[in-house]
Amino acid sequence: MSYKLDWTTLRRDAPTSLTQQIVDRIVTGVDDGSLEPGEKLPTTRELAESAGVNHLTAARAYRRLAEMGYVTATVGRGTFVRAHPPGAAGDDPDADEWQEVVLPARQVSYAEQVLEDSIRLATEPGVLSLAAGFPSPARYPVGDLARIAQEVFETEGNTALGYIPAEGLPELREALASRGRRAGFADSADEIIVVSGARPGIDLVARAILEPGDVCVVEAPTFVGLLTSARATGAQVIGVPYGEDGLDVDALERVLARHEVKLVALQTSCQNPTGQDMSPQRRKRLAQLAVERGFFVLEDGVYSNLRYEGSEQPRLRSLAPNHVIYVDSLSKTVGGGLRLGWIAARGPVRRRLAMLKMDSDIHTSTLVQMIAARYLRGDAHERQLAGSIEFYRERRDALLTSLERHLEGEYRVLRPRGGHHTWVTLRRPVDERALYAQAFRHGVSFTPGGAMTPERPSQTAMRLSFALLDPDEMDEALRRLARAIRAVRREDRSAAALPIS
Ligand SMILES: Cc1ncc(COP(=O)(O)O)c(C=O)c1O
């Protein structure tokens, strides 16, 4: 490292600048092999100190070396001598360590790890998943969609495989707007942008609105994917508590008093993970605040149509359509593999969203949009929703019964009014990560509360999803979870009993 670089001969009175002299030394070191590919160079601060130059000169030298292809710099990791390209003389074509040097630094967050686990473990033999936010395959309307897909090919022919504008297929946008007028999320087809699922919709909204350093408020707890999308923009993500009446608007006002908030992202109905609704009073106040203070609201409605009790209210967007951007999809009611979602927005942000959509994937599959348009125009979706509500209500009740059977007296739960999830808090906390690991060992998975809250939670909470498992499997999953909780408590007790060495 720095000991290989001798700076004693740097000359302030030389015709070449100090920056160039530093660059030349490092280039010589790389060319003569004394600095090896992948080797870490001193930080700019260390370089400035040892070479007796100011910090800017050191930074400038590294920038120039990077432009010349001699070094790569990654924020948070440092500056490295660039590895030889793969396949260069003597290189092992199977080696892949060089990628670490070339790739930008990126750590997998806890939330991302949990999301990845939940998708992977949903189909892992031997693990019962209370983690996956997947609907039950038993509810996929395969027959209806197969018939419609056949009709699309027969009547649309090759246009089903052609490119279309980024905003989506006009007939699908119209079918969605007509549902939007009834539910309160859109007035016209012009407001609709078709996207490949709600998650990409959330991602586009976050990217359109947030810049590094901006403030985004989310519910605590919230959907893991929202946290990762908002954080990926470099914004500061602040959690506001969520309870039986939805987002705590008084707490939001305290955040608004201290921060310039650009975006508040929430689910107003059948929230993931609590299954609760935002009360009409809180909705009204939030809409007023958005208008008065000039911030955007992202309303995610993916579970709104899966309601088991309570009455449906018009979507928040109907109260402030210039401020609220609505995101939804067919993933939870039809099937996530369809990858069909939509955004409803107005004004300059709508155009920005359409441009971002075009820049990222041109448009969502034409074929899928044609199928979805026909499906939504008929009565198949209404039948699908009615059947799903019965089906999932039974599973929700089965989960609540099994919870009580296996964890009586040990938990608190918010009874979900809709959606696919329950938010369960343990009365006596345990180490969440230890429980997460112990649960896998016992053959059950859940979503840990810490992955669903922007700040570290003070309680042990978990999301238990009830859509995927049938009632018998769910009961077995709860039995395994209860055992895992007891095992973690036993480990805690024996650790506490160990003598301090
Ligand atoms: C609240 C919420 N929003 C969005 C999504 C993502 O939905 P999609 O599959 O349509 O991308 C999910 C999926 O779990 C979710 O729970």
Side-chain angles (χ1 to χ4, degrees):
M1 278 231 299
S2 49
Y3 64 86
K4 292 184 182 171
L5 296 164
D6 174 16
W7 304 114
T8 52
T9 52
L10 280 189
R11 288 190 39 213
R12 278 165 204 285
D13 55 353
T16 36
S17 68
L18 284 170
T19 309
Q20 192 54 45
Q21 291 179 59
I22 295 172
V23 169
D24 292 344
R25 296 282 148 98
I26 293 178
V27 167
T28 308
V30 174
D31 288 346
D32 69 15
S34 56
L35 291 171
E36 288 167 20
E39 183 167 342
K40 188 169 190 216
L41 293 173
T43 63
T44 45
R45 199 164 300 283
E46 287 165 352
L47 173 58
E49 241 167 58
S50 57
V53 297
N54 72 33
H55 185 241
L56 270 180
T57 305
R60 216 176 288 129
Y62 277 167
R63 198 165 53 238
R64 202 168 291 167
L65 284 159
E67 283 160 12
M68 292 163 70
Y70 273 85
V71 302
T72 53
T74 45
V75 178
R77 287 182 56 220
T79 304
F80 296 83
V81 175
R82 194 156 174 188
H84 289 305
D91 268 1
D92 172 2
D94 294 330
D96 57 13
E97 301 81 22
W98 62 272
Q99 293 189 4
E100 288 296 345
V101 179
V102 175
L103 285 169
R106 188 178 192 284
Q107 280 189 335
V108 176
S109 70
Y110 182 42
E112 284 174 317
Q113 187 58 60
V114 163
L115 200 59
E116 192 192 32
D117 286 347
S118 78
I119 295 171
R120 185 172 49 84
L121 292 169
T123 50
E124 179 104 343
V127 179
L128 292 171
S129 177
L130 294 168
F134 298 174
S136 168
R139 290 297 313 150
Y140 296 158
V142 174
D144 282 331
L145 294 186
R147 176 183 46 79
I148 294 172
Q150 180 74 26
E151 273 171 32
V152 165
F153 276 118
E154 280 166 10
T155 56
E156 307 289 344
N158 51 15
T159 57
L161 301 178
Y163 284 109
I164 55 171
E167 284 91 338
L169 200 69
E171 53 269 39
L172 175 59
R173 295 171 74 203
E174 189 42 67
L176 291 167
S178 120
R179 284 169 185 271
R181 283 187 281 273
R182 274 178 267 146
F185 66 74
D187 276 343
S188 78
D190 283 346
E191 295 182 320
I192 305 283
I193 299 170
V194 178
V195 287
S196 307
R199 176 67 204 282
I202 292 169
D203 211 63
L204 286 183
V205 173
R207 283 166 50 210
I209 294 174
L210 297 170
E211 289 180 302
D214 284 345
V215 175
C216 170
V217 169
V218 301
E219 301 154 307
T222 188
F223 167 50
V224 182
L226 167 64
L227 287 177
T228 46
S229 284
R231 284 180 179 144
T233 65
Q236 183 189 355
V237 181
I238 298 181
V240 162
Y242 189 91
E244 257 173 292
D245 285 333
L247 184 91
D248 180 342
V249 182
D250 291 338
L252 171 65
E253 285 201 63
R254 290 194 289 278
V255 175
L256 290 171
R258 292 197 312 273
H259 298 276
E260 197 70 47
V261 172
K262 275 238 186 123
L263 177 67
V264 174
L266 83 172
Q267 301 160 59
T268 48
S269 304
C270 311
Q271 198 244 14
N272 169 13
T274 62
Q276 307 301 304
D277 298 324
M278 191 178 199
S279 70
Q281 297 76 6
R282 287 187 174 188
R283 286 174 192 231
K284 210 165 142 209
R285 183 74 196 121
L286 174 61
Q288 272 169 353
L289 284 170
V291 173
E292 281 165 25
R293 311 279 174 94
F295 57 81
F296 284 106
V297 177
L298 163 58
E299 180 183 26
D300 173 344
V302 292
Y303 290 107
S304 303
N305 288 330
L306 291 171
R307 167 174 301 285
Y308 318 124
E309 55 196 58
S311 54
E312 180 58 27
Q313 300 163 52
R315 302 289 200 278
L316 177 72
R317 183 154 193 268
S318 62
L319 301 178
N322 281 328
H323 293 75
V324 180
I325 301 169
Y326 183 77
V327 174
D328 203 338
S329 76
L330 294 183
S331 301
K332 308 301 172 185
T333 52
V334 179
L338 210 55
R339 307 314 298 139
L340 196 286
W342 61 97
I343 302 176
R346 233 185 232 183
V349 75
R350 195 217 73 105
R351 178 155 167 72
R352 289 211 188 180
L353 287 164
M355 292 307 283
L356 276 180
K357 165 77 184 159
M358 189 183 74
D359 289 345
S360 59
D361 68 350
I362 307 182
H363 64 78
T364 293
S365 156
T366 311
L367 172 62
V368 169
Q369 293 196 47
M370 286 180 172
I371 294 171
R374 282 174 190 244
Y375 169 76
L376 290 174
R377 278 203 306 263
D379 63 356
H381 193 50
E382 270 54 49
R383 280 189 276 110
Q384 168 73 5
L385 286 177
S388 294
I389 288 169
E390 282 310 304
F391 181 90
Y392 291 122
R393 182 189 286 123
E394 198 181 310
R395 291 199 166 188
R396 176 205 59 177
D397 293 346
L399 179 95
L400 293 174
T401 306
S402 296
L403 247 182
E404 188 58 12
R405 179 174 303 133
H406 297 290
L407 281 166
E408 189 188 347
E410 295 196 50
Y411 69 97
R412 278 190 296 271
V413 69
L414 288 171
R415 181 183 168 83
R417 293 182 201 152
H420 284 163
H421 316 283
T422 5
W423 184 245
V424 174
T425 310
L426 295 184
R427 288 185 187 276
R428 283 186 298 135
V430 295
D431 182 302
E432 176 183 292
R433 295 194 189 209
L435 178 59
Y436 189 58
Q438 192 60 256
F440 286 148
R441 270 178 240 132
H442 280 76
V444 60
S445 65
F446 66 89
T447 307
M452 307 195 81
T453 45
E455 291 89 14
R456 218 184 161 82
S458 55
Q459 296 179 314
T460 311
M462 48 195 152
R463 185 189 81 170
L464 304 182
S465 303
F466 51 80
L468 198 55
L469 301 182
D470 69 34
D472 287 343
E473 290 170 324
M474 208 129 56
D475 193 62
E476 173 59 19
L478 263 298
R479 196 176 63 82
R480 293 181 189 182
L481 182 62
R483 282 190 179 170
I485 293 171
R486 278 169 206 133
V488 175
R489 292 207 198 286
R490 268 198 309 278
E491 274 172 8
D492 275 358
R493 272 198 299 277
S494 23
L498 282 178
I500 298 165
S501 53

